[in-house]
Amino acid sequence: MDTLTSLAEGFVIALTFQNLALALLGTFLGTIMGALPGLGPANGVAILIPLAFTMGLGPTPAMILLTSVYYGAMYGGRISSILLNIPGDEPAMMTCLDGHPMAIQGRAGEALALSGVASFVGAFIATWGLILLAPQLVKFALLFGPAEYFALFALAFATLGGVASTNQAKSAFAAMFGLALAVVGVDTQTGVPRLTFGEVHLYDGLDFLVAIVGLFALSEVFIFLEHRHGASSAGPGTIKVGRITPSWKLLKSTTPTMLRSSFLGFVAGVLPGAGASLGSFIAYSFEKRLVDRKGTFGHGDPRGVAAPEAGNNAAAGGALVPMLALGVPGSGTTAVLLAVLLSLNITPGPLLFTNNADVVWGLIAALFIANFMLLAMNIPMVGLFTRLLMVPPRILMPIVAMISFVGIYGISGSSFDLLVMIGFGVLGWLLRKLDVPLVPVILGTLLGNTMENNLRRAVTISNGDYFTLVGSPLAIALWTVAVIGFILPIFVGRMVRARMHARRDTESSTAD
Amino acid sequence: MSDRIFGTVGLVLALFYAWATLQIQESFLSDAVGPKIFPLSVAVILGLASIAIILRPDSEPEWPHLSRLVEIGAAIVVMILYAEFLDVVGFGIATALATTYLTWRLGTGPLQSVLVGLATSAGIYIIFRLVLGLSLARGPLGF
């Protein structure tokens, strides 16, 4: 009952003119970002962070704008998967398998509509899951002391490479590199400057927003320059969209699929190290095992379109659970959202639900509203988005670069930050070429200080006894999961990844 | 080979990081852990991960041709120039020039590139400066 009251209060917050307008803007921009190959949800949110700051938005409106972008990008990814057989972002990879064959058969409109509905169902169920699960997780998290938090952060880093990671050494490298960057600046506890090499600009530490925009958005520009991939992916009149309303029969026959996939996707989203890409993969493979009796999956089976779309949208919602309740994001985009919260001076975690209840519930209510907007936007207006796919990257990418520059300059007004951002852009490009995941780098820079503070707090409380770090059953359990989570992918990672990429190679390495 | 070089660079970085950490001047008022332990452990794991990368390298990534590398290098130089001259020539001119260059290098015709550059600069100026009221770098011409 408590929950419903809070939710009602959340709707009161979300249903203001400004917040509704922001949700609409966010969903619209998000769908575009998701649809354009090369710009995924993480890049999309990263590019728009400066916008949220320059508009001088408070925490709730800013989060409404950016999570709408996040949900919107999850919807948008499917459009280019279905029409062009190029996933708009990594989670939409699995949608290509059945979506594109449907489009070739002249059922593109149907596939788009069905996947729109599936996205809606997935996101809707996941938002309910978020409401029910997050407060429970908060109660659990209140048992955590500094030592447990330190272990939890270690767990997040150990599992961040994901089950599908091929090279754990590179994931570890990326996480440590991020932590190393976080150390730069004046030490918060003793006040001594660390690793600043006398550069005054560094005393405040590196601004993680600068790092994020550089790593995600600018490195994308370099990737495009490298391939000179400037032509539009959509040739004129490649595929006819056809009718864009799904028949009731089709919806009815795919309903069980959507429900099962939403559940699986949500679970995958909540678990650390899984995320939306894996959510859609699990949903698709499970459905294929379960209902594919005639071998129609992969040849334009509507259920093969519904399953991954419901799965990845549900996972997107699920990934918000650990981010809001524990302050430990499970995916790239939620890491970026965490960065936004931190720079708005709001610390996610158990206290968020008591101290900033308005932010949490306003956000959740806004997710519901955004989801309905997306459904409304994605079925009748899908034609508009398909036309936007014609904007060639040779025009789009410079605009992305310039908006990144303007945004960062707008936040700090210093050209030193612009240089740092360029540095991160180049670094991001190099790391992507070397197949080093970028998300742990971001998470490291974000969480490094909190992680260190928890370590120092824990040890100081116990008078310098380091064994306090493994001093409670809960801490030991977290460390065990962390170790298993780090070692497991070394054995099963290759297998999972090979199967995920069996039919699709993707250019993008910034996973959701 | 790339991975071995990468790992070696990582190892050097870890050593340098550990050395730089040891140079930190400790305050006389310190907590039980102090400012050095955390960065030192980070350096150790960073080094171990780098060694693992050296010992078990992945397959070679596809490096672009030299001409493409030069292309990227030139774009980086343009961006650095953009950052350096933003305060001098003002937002409008700097953005128009940088956008024109990038659009041109991504394969647009010269004339169209100039148009895209001007349009982008004007568009961003209108949205961010006039609508959102963000302070952009002002040049001698006032924009």
Side-chain angles (χ1 to χ4, degrees):
Chain A
M1 220 43 236
D2 241 16
T3 317
L4 287 182
T5 327
S6 316
L7 185 62
E9 280 165 18
F11 270 101
V12 174
I13 296 166
L15 284 171
T16 62
F17 178 72
Q18 187 203 23
N19 289 345
L20 286 177
L22 286 173
L24 191 65
L25 179 70
T27 48
F28 181 74
L29 290 175
T31 313
I32 296 177
M33 305 260 184
L36 292 166
L39 285 178
N43 314 36
V45 177
I47 295 170
L48 291 180
I49 291 174
L51 184 72
F53 281 103
T54 47
M55 288 166 82
L57 298 176
T60 317
M63 282 309 282
I64 288 177
L65 174 70
L66 294 173
T67 41
S68 302
V69 173
Y70 176 36
Y71 267 37
M74 287 292 166
Y75 269 75
R78 77 194 207 283
I79 298 175
S80 49
S81 297
I82 291 172
L83 292 178
L84 311 174
N85 204 19
I86 301 167
D89 46 30
E90 200 174 313
M93 203 162 70
M94 305 306 290
T95 314
C96 292
L97 299 185
D98 277 284
H100 192 63
M102 268 185 91
I104 291 174
Q105 295 160 18
R107 293 158 75 199
E110 245 181 308
L112 284 172
L114 175 67
S115 56
V117 175
S119 300
F120 174 79
V121 173
F124 187 76
I125 291 181
T127 313
W128 274 111
L130 170 65
I131 291 175
L132 298 175
L133 189 61
Q136 306 309 315
L137 200 58
V138 165
K139 277 180 204 154
F140 180 60
L142 288 174
L143 302 172
F144 284 27
E148 284 80 9
Y149 263 109
F150 184 67
L152 183 68
F153 286 129
L155 188 156
F157 285 117
T159 54
L160 202 67
V163 186
S165 155
T166 43
N167 194 333
Q168 285 296 73
K170 286 185 175 172
S171 305
F173 180 91
M176 288 309 128
F177 186 69
L179 289 177
L181 291 176
V183 170
V184 175
V186 172
D187 178 27
T188 47
Q189 312 233 343
T190 57
V192 293
R194 297 193 290 178
L195 299 147
T196 53
F197 307 105
E199 174 68 70
V200 186
H201 289 293
L202 290 176
Y203 273 42
D204 248 358
L206 289 162
D207 189 341
F208 40 67
L209 291 178
V210 176
I212 287 175
V213 177
L215 281 177
F216 282 144
L218 264 197
S219 72
E220 196 66 49
V221 177
F222 290 129
I223 296 266
F224 272 89
L225 270 171
E226 178 197 338
H227 296 291
R228 203 172 197 172
H229 188 62
S232 164
S233 333
T238 26
I239 271 176
K240 273 217 157 86
V241 174
R243 65 174 261 171
I244 51 167
T245 40
S247 61
W248 281 114
K249 203 171 128 251
L250 184 67
L251 286 182
K252 224 169 123 186
S253 67
T254 49
T255 304
T257 301
M258 289 186 207
L259 295 178
R260 280 191 296 264
S261 306
S262 302
F263 177 74
L264 284 174
F266 179 73
V267 174
V270 174
L271 291 178
S277 306
L278 206 73
S280 69
F281 169 71
I282 292 173
Y284 184 85
S285 348
F286 181 78
E287 259 334 277
K288 190 173 153 77
R289 286 260 166 83
L290 195 71
V291 295
D292 185 22
R293 295 199 188 84
K294 293 181 193 141
T296 49
F297 269 55
H299 304 284
D301 189 311
R303 289 169 301 187
V305 177
E309 274 307 307
N312 80 34
N313 282 272
L320 288 173
V321 175
M323 195 275 274
L324 288 174
L326 302 176
V328 179
S331 71
T333 320
T334 44
V336 178
L337 289 172
L338 178 74
V340 178
L341 279 177
L342 290 177
S343 25
L344 289 164
N345 251 339
I346 289 191
T347 317
L351 291 176
L352 179 68
F353 280 72
T354 43
N355 293 351
N356 300 89
D358 55 327
V359 176
V360 179
W361 293 103
L363 174 66
I364 291 174
L367 288 178
F368 275 115
I369 297 167
N371 203 18
F372 277 101
M373 284 177 176
L374 280 165
L375 182 69
M377 211 184 269
N378 270 277
I379 305 240
M381 283 168 63
V382 81
L384 174 70
F385 293 115
T386 55
R387 229 159 288 144
L388 276 170
L389 285 181
M390 312 273 183
V391 177
R394 66 192 155 84
I395 292 175
L396 186 78
M397 291 328 280
I399 297 180
V400 167
M402 286 305 139
I403 292 183
S404 312
F405 277 114
V406 171
I408 293 300
Y409 188 85
I411 293 176
S412 66
S414 99
S415 35
F416 177 78
D417 277 356
L418 293 185
L419 294 175
V420 175
M421 182 176 81
I422 298 170
F424 273 107
V426 179
L427 183 74
W429 176 75
L430 270 177
L431 292 180
R432 281 166 80 164
K433 290 307 280 183
L434 291 165
D435 213 11
V436 178
L438 297 181
V439 174
V441 181
I442 290 298
L443 206 59
T445 25
L446 270 183
L447 296 180
N449 287 324
T450 333
M451 186 173 181
E452 184 182 7
N453 286 344
N454 275 304
L455 166 73
R456 287 163 79 167
R457 207 169 296 152
V459 176
T460 306
I461 289 171
S462 63
N463 283 323
D465 177 15
Y466 280 88
F467 283 100
T468 184
L469 296 176
V470 286
S472 75
L474 194 54
I476 295 172
L478 288 169
W479 281 110
T480 319
V481 177
V483 171
I484 294 173
F486 187 75
I487 295 177
L488 199 63
I490 296 176
F491 299 105
V492 301
R494 244 161 245 283
M495 207 173 67
V496 175
R497 199 163 178 90
R499 278 163 65 183
M500 251 168 102
H501 286 252
R503 299 206 37 194
R504 275 237 54 88
D505 272 328
T506 168
E507 287 177 23
S508 167
S509 63
T510 43
D512 67 298
Chain B
M1 196 57 210
S2 299
D3 264 5
R4 292 188 197 265
I5 296 171
F6 170 57
T8 315
V9 172
L11 194 59
V12 172
L13 183 74
L15 289 174
F16 170 75
Y17 196 78
W19 172 81
T21 302
L22 292 174
Q23 306 303 307
I24 295 173
Q25 290 284 328
E26 272 196 60
S27 156
F28 59 95
L29 271 175
S30 187
D31 54 338
V33 181
K36 289 183 185 171
I37 298 291
F38 186 76
L40 273 183
S41 6
V42 166
V44 169
I45 306 180
L46 194 65
L48 290 177
S50 303
I51 292 173
I53 294 171
I54 296 175
L55 292 180
R56 293 194 52 198
D58 286 339
S59 51
E60 190 75 3
E62 262 184 51
W63 289 106
H65 253 261
L66 187 66
S67 60
R68 297 279 91 198
L69 282 178
V70 172
E71 190 78 75
I72 292 172
I76 294 168
V77 171
V78 167
M79 287 179 184
I80 292 175
L81 288 177
Y82 176 80
E84 291 290 349
F85 283 98
L86 190 59
D87 288 323
V88 183
V89 299
F91 170 81
I93 297 170
T95 307
L97 289 177
T99 317
T100 304
Y101 175 79
L102 288 175
T103 316
W104 174 54
R105 289 321 303 163
L106 278 164
T108 318
L111 185 67
Q112 206 193 347
S113 300
V114 174
L115 291 178
V116 171
L118 289 174
T120 307
S121 178
I124 293 181
Y125 188 81
I126 290 169
I127 295 176
F128 283 84
R129 179 80 191 95
L130 301 182
V131 180
L132 298 174
L134 172 69
S135 60
L136 300 172
R138 229 171 237 245
L141 302 177
F143 55 83

